Amino acid sequence: MLHWIPVFTRPDTVNVLLDALRFLSKDDLNVYAWVILENHCHLVLQSNALDHDIARLKSWTAKQLIQYLAEHNVRQILDQLAFYKKPHKTDRAYQFWQEGVHPELIQNEEMMRQKIEYIHQNPVKRGYVDEAVHWRYSSAKDYAGAAGLLEICRAW
């Protein structure tokens, strides 16, 4: 998320991101872990064309979220998205996501466990919940044996 703007404070905006992940999951993207907070998200993903899939995710969600914000007249956030837009982005009025993709290669099972734990502990570290499984917008429930909001891949 660009400049930590709190866009994911409503279930409708979170669902835009979840719907995009569901769609891409049908098309060769594996979602291993995720968390969405009010102003950013963390994802552990894998695909044969990760850069392309992340570009698709960012493009579609940006369009949908900007449309949602415009339809609901959320001017404060739209104004921030316009203000922080990079000058070279002349083809749009707003910039939603930060530029670029910075994936980290997960090299072994220990590293995978560390990344998943870090992601799930994000809302706990911020003081939003006492236990990771209590945060609705994460895959922590899935790893605790319950069904979460997004089907994940646990075979790694």
Side-chain angles (χ1 to χ4, degrees):
M1 181 68 241
L2 188 68
H3 283 271
W4 303 92
I5 300 168
V7 173
F8 300 113
T9 58
R10 305 166 188 218
D12 288 340
T13 56
V14 173
N15 284 330
V16 168
L17 187 52
L18 293 177
D19 287 345
L21 289 167
R22 286 183 192 105
F23 177 81
L24 290 170
S25 292
K26 294 176 188 172
D27 202 23
D28 195 39
L29 180 80
N30 291 322
V31 179
Y32 294 100
W34 62 278
V35 66
I36 302 170
L37 290 106
E38 76 282 1
N39 57 8
H40 72 285
C41 65
H42 294 280
L43 307 166
V44 177
L45 307 171
Q46 181 270 325
S47 83
N48 292 327
L50 190 59
D51 285 353
H52 176 69
D53 286 338
I54 291 175
R56 290 170 61 198
L57 175 79
K58 289 169 76 172
S59 175
W60 189 83
T61 56
K63 288 175 190 162
Q64 296 299 312
L65 289 163
I66 288 166
Q67 179 181 337
Y68 175 89
L69 295 168
E71 287 173 359
H72 291 82
N73 201 28
V74 187
R75 291 284 356 139
Q76 183 180 11
I77 290 178
L78 288 170
D79 290 346
Q80 290 178 66
L81 294 175
F83 178 80
Y84 289 117
K85 179 179 74 79
K86 299 293 183 197
H88 68 274
K89 300 279 187 179
T90 57
D91 62 336
R92 65 196 74 179
Y94 306 103
Q95 181 174 346
F96 190 85
W97 296 105
Q98 289 181 356
E99 290 184 313
V101 176
H102 307 286
E104 286 185 51
L105 178 63
I106 297 177
Q107 299 177 3
N108 54 46
E109 189 173 325
E110 180 184 348
M111 188 176 185
M112 179 68 127
R113 289 185 197 285
Q114 289 172 346
K115 295 296 179 188
I116 292 170
E117 182 69 12
Y118 171 81
I119 285 172
H120 291 162
Q121 288 301 312
N122 235 250
V124 176
K125 288 178 182 170
R126 287 181 158 229
Y128 297 161
V129 291
D130 291 329
E131 296 180 37
V133 295
H134 295 157
W135 189 252
R136 176 175 177 75
Y137 300 119
S138 109
S139 55
K141 285 183 185 177
D142 297 280
Y143 282 90
L149 297 175
L150 178 67
E151 191 173 328
I152 61 162
C153 181
R154 300 246 343 246
W156 39 270

